[in-house]
Amino acid sequence: MEYDIEDWAIKIKIGGLGVMAQLMGKNLGHQDLIWVVPCVGGIDYPEDRRTDPMVVTVLNTEYTIQVQYHTLRNITYVLLDAPVFRQQSKAEPYPPRMDDLDSAIYYSAWNSCIAQAMKRFPIDLYHINDYHGTIAPLHLLPETIPCCLSLHNAEFQGLWPMRTPQELSEVCAVYNLDQEVVQKYVQFGEVFNLLHAGASYLRVHQKGFGAVGVSKKYGKRSFARYPIFWGLTKIGSLPNPDPTDLEEWDKELSKADDDVVVDAEFESGRTELRRQAQEWAHLDQNPNAELFVFVGRWSMQKGIDLIADCFPAILEEHPNTQLICVGPVIDLYGKFAALKLEKMMSIYPGRVYSKPEFTALPPYIFSGAEFALIPSRDEPFGLVAVEFGRKGALGVGSRVGGLGQMPGWWFTIESTTTKHLVQQFKMAIQAALASKTDVRAMMRARSAKQRFPVAQWVEDLGILQSKAIKTHRTQALKSSSRVTLSRPQTPTLSRPQTPTSKSGASTPSRHWEASEIPSMPIFAPPSMLQNGSHSRAPSPPRLGPPPETETENEHENNWPLTLGVRTGPGHVTKEQRNRLSKRNPNSGSKGSISYIATPAAHPLPFADNPGDEDAVSNILDEYFLSPEQVEATVRSNQIASLQRELRPRGRTLEGAGLSLPMPPMPSPRTQNPASIPSTPGLSMPNTPKEHHRLISTSTPSTAFPFAFSDTNLSLETVLGGKKDFNLQNVEPFFTDPTGLYYDTFDKKLESLNGKSSEGDLCIEDYLAKSEKEWFNRFHNVKMGKSGATPASSIFRVRMDSPAGSIFNEHIDHDDGSATRDSMDEFLLRDNYVPPTGLKKMLRTKIGDWPIYAFLLAFGQIIAANSYQITLLTGEVGQAAEKLYIIATIYLVTSIVWWLVFRTFKSLYVVSVPFLFYGLAFLFLGLAPYCRNLQGKGWIQNVATGFYTVASSSGPFFFALNFGSEGTAPVATWSFRACVIQGTQQIYVVVLWFWGSRLTKLEDAGISNLVAYGPPLTGVTVPIALLMWAIGLMLFLGLPDYYRQSPGQVPSFYRSVFRRNIILWFFVAVIIQNYFLSAPYGRNWKYLWSSQHAPTWAVALLVLVFFIGVWAGLLWLFASLSTSHSWILPIFAVGLGAPRWCQMLWGTSNIGLFVPWAGSAVAGALVGRMLWLWLGVLDAIQGVGFGMILLQTLTRFHITFTLICAQVLGSITTILARATAPDRTGPGPIFPDFSSGYAQGLSQAWFWVCLLLQMSICVGFFMFFRKEQLSKP
């Protein structure tokens, strides 16, 4: 969607894709390129060679796209014109969202047109850039085409929901794809993911080869960060070049270390360049100024907010510092940064210049600046660093993606939290300012020597493409499928040397067997590239007037405007449909910016054939418009646009004092086609004159000048005014639509200074708080609560009042339209019905937690360990046979729960387990009433089995909690995990106390079933009823997130085992279960087995450690996580082996006697204190390891990982009970140290176990750092 038509002076460019499009057009002269590009609104496109329109299918209805061809050197542009494309502009060529119906229609049409262009042209390879064009090859199935996928920004993937069968059917209908194809290639979970479609196509048809990142590191990081790529073996690299580096490139010379010499002349002239830059920006002309410049998009990704946050302090500490910021505002970060920088211009006059708009910069800005600011949070390549560095400005910013290759001051992003980034960025700026003049001069000299040659990129691109073709050929031979495009009914032909298409609109049936494809069919020697030669055949004539009249200007305008076939969509006769199917491939998806076509040996397939009956029939079946009809259509569109604008306000054209006279519409058959009048303009060499243009410049951009009909694709014709499509029901983004938070921030900036800028006025912190409050309002509106702030409310900001929100605002409603305006602000449907009953109750929040989150957390807590149920009967130890049975049940039911999760809706795996919990407690309460001891034992065993079945579902409660709440900061997840883990520890301690209590009674000769029969029943039966009530509430009241159909994830099981963190987690489970599962019961028995310490004292210690100490650690890590998201995982890694230490203390008799404590009671309490402290550290480590999973895997992968861990743990526990050295009592792993240390330390198993426990932390540290999802 970004392209450059040089001879027409049309350039659609807003970022790196536009730069690469221009680069390819100028430097791939040895290849023939086919670019399928949509026409945007507000641009005059000259008319070149119009051809048959393309027919696309959207929502089971056919629409037409007007098409023309334009050839420039080796590039053939296929220009698509339709209202759906014209709604975009040069400044905004992309649809604003990537998840709604409007954008789906746009991308569907574009991809479908690209697929049809592939049919019309004989191409060798399709090169996809990012997600936009990944669907096009799917329209050609079962025929396939070699592909390459370049990742310029994998953060954007093109996502549409498929949570229900209705959404799945609707998305497939919009993209005109079969559900089987979507599930095989596109679907990733419950999402229609365009970028995943590209990765899947490479995985299926090219063994995963063909995906590359645009810098050396970006491919590897994308592979680690984005789960959609985990089905591939790897992502390679194709580093972008510097478009200005056009000199020859030699591999051997590039390896040599040339001497770097400072350019004294350039250095001496920089003072004047700095003065010119200061003059241009209206800054003080200070010859000693340290001039910083930022040029780029003002967005979160580019880090413009970090500049606005840290520079007030820099400006105050360094009086000679100056700042220039230029670029277009992209998102809220840029918008609020622009506001802050504007305030800084008034606070620091003559030192700050801010221009938040796209601006052509003079060259002395690049050369006169001392430093270029590049604090990007994510940067695939970072061309701006190369541009500034080669021109004299040294980079200061983040070493991420492609940044850090040029000399400069770069910091490594180890955490994406704002406090960390601002601190690191300031340190880099301080280091740059402290550097000496001669050091900077040498760095500039080295920057000038740095090369990113275009010639190297061209060579690497050739290698990539040729290998993609070869790999595709090999795979095609294995699957006995054809490589290129063909119609099945046409016999296989060799490559034609002349066009054979009858209509001139579609490709001759050109396809060949895989074995016929050369290894490098599209590449020429470097000499061809250097001399700029190409072999593109001359532009083909368009279908229409005879060739001999085309060169005459006076006849060119006689070709009338067409509105498509007369019969219209859905009413084409069978014979006509057959003709259409021959000319147009199946349509319905989205495509790529460019793809590479055949070499010149294969001419373009658009020869005229006036005798073609199909073509003549098609022409005669079209409407034609006269100039009067065109004008009438334009005015009609203008009126419709104005009416749409006025209707929401309850006004009409007449009421607004507007009128547009409508000329009479003549009959189509009575008017003689004539040229379309237009505004005269300047003509360019080799360019059609103004009166030959397809689009008239005299028409406002709000109306489509091309006389589109109802058959042409537009949102209006597709939607027909309907508002009940599933894809129209999208969740809103926080964009501050009313300006409420923007105005409040503006007032807060009155107190801006170096200190407050990084504190209360930190942009990201303010936006995070704003977003949280806005979504709370959104939640209230969805819940049907009155008093939610409407979008159009009149509010008063009271900066001195202690209001309940962070903004201290008081909001009044101006009229009774508050509810209606709120629904508009939050994109709710007119017929939206708030939840009621249980659904409303469970979504009610207590603090930041909805009630259902508490219930799911409770499910996670009571699933702590299936072994715990035996404690309720007083059985502290387990016989081997019973352990084998329980572990086997745990293993089997873990797999069953996973199959249920993958087959049915999520609510079953988080509600049905409570049925089994209830049965377990019910049977446990009924056991005392059995007549014989054996029967009582079997009832207890049944209860244990039910509890085991339920507790094996624990991973789902952990992975699926807070599902409807969206994403949350790491600090929030740390807090949640610590709360749940701490509560779980208390639950386990209580169970062990109960089990120990009953065991003591039994040892005293009192049967626990006799003593605690009725009381036990009185406790367990109500608990059983409570469990069933909770399960029923969850089943009936969980949000829609838990009622989604399970989505397909192609190649999921293969991808799981390519994640090192998952494999290492399995290793940790095996090590810990084999060595530590057998002594587990003996370890816990230590807590309550003291003969000296009173029970109440031990209970008090439990409360101190698992509530007091735990709460302190919870607060500490929640606070530290706001600056360092990795603090809890790294702390957990640094703990080593606290569980091993705790077991050593509790089972090796070391903790039985602590002589230095002073007395037996004190010794017993000190021993328990140390044991509890180690237990707290073990719980912290468990939370930390859980946070590692949360920061490296998706919910789906976490669930599978934990289920597999349970299966492996069960198997390992069985093996440990049978073969482990400490399987039945004290052994060499935890030797008895009470008789001396020498004998214990001499045991080999002691050291083996210790070293293996320590190795767990080493592995987690290695893989966590490399596989974080949030680390750029």
Side-chain angles (χ1 to χ4, degrees), residues 204 243-244 310 331 583 627 781 804 812 819 827 1240:
V204 174
T244 64
C310 72
D331 57 16
R583 279 193 297 270
V781 172
D812 295 326
T819 303
L827 303 181

Side-chain angles (χ1 to χ4, degrees), residues 782-1102:
K782 291 187 71 174
M783 295 290 289
K785 294 182 179 180
S786 59
T789 305
S792 60
S793 296
I794 300 173
F795 62 93
R796 302 187 302 272
V797 180
R798 303 186 304 185
M799 303 304 294
D800 55 344
S801 65
S805 75
I806 60 169
F807 306 101
N808 297 326
E809 74 239 10
H810 175 74
I811 302 172
D812 295 326
H813 296 176
D814 56 341
D815 54 32
S817 64
T819 303
R820 172 69 263 156
D821 291 336
S822 295
M823 295 182 72
D824 288 342
E825 177 182 358
F826 298 112
L827 303 181
L828 297 179
R829 293 183 175 184
D830 294 339
N831 60 350
Y832 173 76
V833 179
T836 57
L838 275 176
K839 285 190 175 182
K840 182 175 183 178
M841 185 189 76
L842 292 188
R843 295 198 64 179
T844 301
K845 289 188 175 182
I846 300 177
D848 289 335
W849 289 39
I851 290 178
Y852 80 81
F854 286 95
L855 298 181
L856 295 184
F858 176 70
Q860 180 183 341
I861 290 170
I862 62 176
N865 193 318
S866 62
Y867 176 63
Q868 312 301 340
I869 188 64
T870 62
L871 298 172
L872 295 175
T873 66
E875 186 179 1
V876 176
Q878 284 181 318
E881 181 182 0
K882 188 171 184 178
L883 183 142
Y884 296 154
I885 293 174
I886 291 178
T888 302
I889 295 174
Y890 199 63
L891 185 157
V892 173
T893 55
S894 295
I895 298 174
V896 171
W897 284 122
W898 171 255
L899 295 177
V900 171
F901 174 67
R902 295 303 301 134
T903 308
F904 304 101
K905 298 175 181 178
S906 300
L907 65 91
Y908 291 105
V909 294
V910 293
S911 61
V912 175
F914 283 98
L915 170 64
F916 293 99
Y917 282 128
L919 290 174
F921 282 100
L922 178 64
F923 276 82
L924 190 64
L926 297 178
Y929 304 103
C930 190
R931 294 182 178 180
N932 57 69
L933 188 61
Q934 185 179 7
K936 294 175 182 178
W938 273 106
I939 293 178
Q940 292 175 13
N941 291 338
V942 171
T944 302
F946 279 131
Y947 199 98
T948 304
V949 171
S951 64
S952 62
S953 66
F956 300 101
F957 293 95
F958 171 75
L960 298 177
N961 205 352
F962 300 96
S964 67
E965 301 304 301
T967 58
V970 173
T972 303
W973 276 108
S974 300
F975 177 81
R976 293 170 178 174
C978 289
V979 168
I980 294 173
Q981 182 72 18
T983 309
Q984 189 178 71
Q985 288 293 100
I986 296 175
Y987 171 71
V988 172
V989 168
V990 171
L991 286 179
W992 278 102
F993 167 74
W994 177 262
S996 299
R997 178 71 174 171
L998 295 185
T999 301
K1000 289 181 180 179
L1001 289 173
E1002 190 168 0
D1003 293 341
I1006 303 175
S1007 172
N1008 56 56
L1009 294 179
V1010 173
Y1012 286 93
L1016 183 64
T1017 304
V1019 172
T1020 57
V1021 171
I1023 292 177
L1025 295 176
L1026 175 64
M1027 295 295 176
W1028 291 335
I1030 292 175
L1032 185 63
M1033 290 172 60
L1034 290 173
F1035 185 82
L1036 298 177
L1038 279 174
D1040 292 339
Y1041 171 83
Y1042 299 93
R1043 303 175 188 278
Q1044 301 172 180
S1045 301
Q1048 299 293 324
V1049 181
S1051 191
F1052 170 74
Y1053 295 105
R1054 183 184 304 173
S1055 67
V1056 161
F1057 295 100
R1058 290 177 179 158
R1059 296 293 286 179
N1060 293 319
I1061 200 73
I1062 293 178
L1063 298 179
W1064 190 252
F1065 187 78
F1066 293 160
V1067 171
V1069 168
I1070 293 172
I1071 292 174
Q1072 289 192 334
N1073 278 272
Y1074 186 79
F1075 290 103
L1076 305 183
S1077 62
Y1080 179 81
R1082 300 196 304 274
N1083 177 52
W1084 270 96
K1085 189 177 180 180
Y1086 169 80
L1087 179 63
W1088 301 106
S1089 62
S1090 175
Q1091 298 178 359
H1092 304 286
T1095 302
W1096 64 266
V1098 176
L1100 185 61
L1101 288 178
V1102 169

Side-chain angles (χ1 to χ4, degrees), residues 424-458:
Q424 295 289 90
F425 188 34
K426 282 185 65 178
M427 290 173 61
I429 294 173
Q430 299 282 10
L433 291 172
S435 61
K436 297 180 179 180
T437 304
D438 57 338
V439 173
R440 299 181 193 177
M442 180 59 68
M443 294 174 70
R444 278 190 286 269
R446 290 189 179 276
S447 296
K449 286 281 187 179
Q450 289 283 97
R451 293 205 60 194
F452 301 88
V454 172
Q456 181 183 6
W457 173 79
V458 171

Side-chain angles (χ1 to χ4, degrees), residues 559-639:
W559 194 242
L561 291 177
T562 174
L563 294 183
V565 294
R566 186 184 301 112
T567 48
H571 300 282
V572 184
T573 65
K574 183 177 181 180
E575 180 182 359
Q576 293 167 336
R577 187 176 291 109
N578 289 338
R579 292 200 304 268
L580 278 174
S581 65
K582 292 180 181 180
R583 279 193 297 270
N584 300 286
N586 293 332
S587 53
S589 278
K590 81 188 197 174
S592 135
I593 293 181
S594 77
Y595 54 88
I596 299 176
T598 57
H602 316 296
L604 292 176
F606 300 101
D608 256 344
N609 191 343
D612 184 331
E613 294 180 3
D614 282 351
V616 173
S617 174
N618 191 52
I619 294 171
L620 294 179
D621 197 39
E622 290 183 324
Y623 286 117
F624 299 98
L625 289 185
S626 66
E628 291 81 6
Q629 289 174 297
V630 173
E631 178 66 21
T633 302
V634 169
R635 289 184 173 274
S636 176
N637 288 337
Q638 290 175 330
I639 291 175

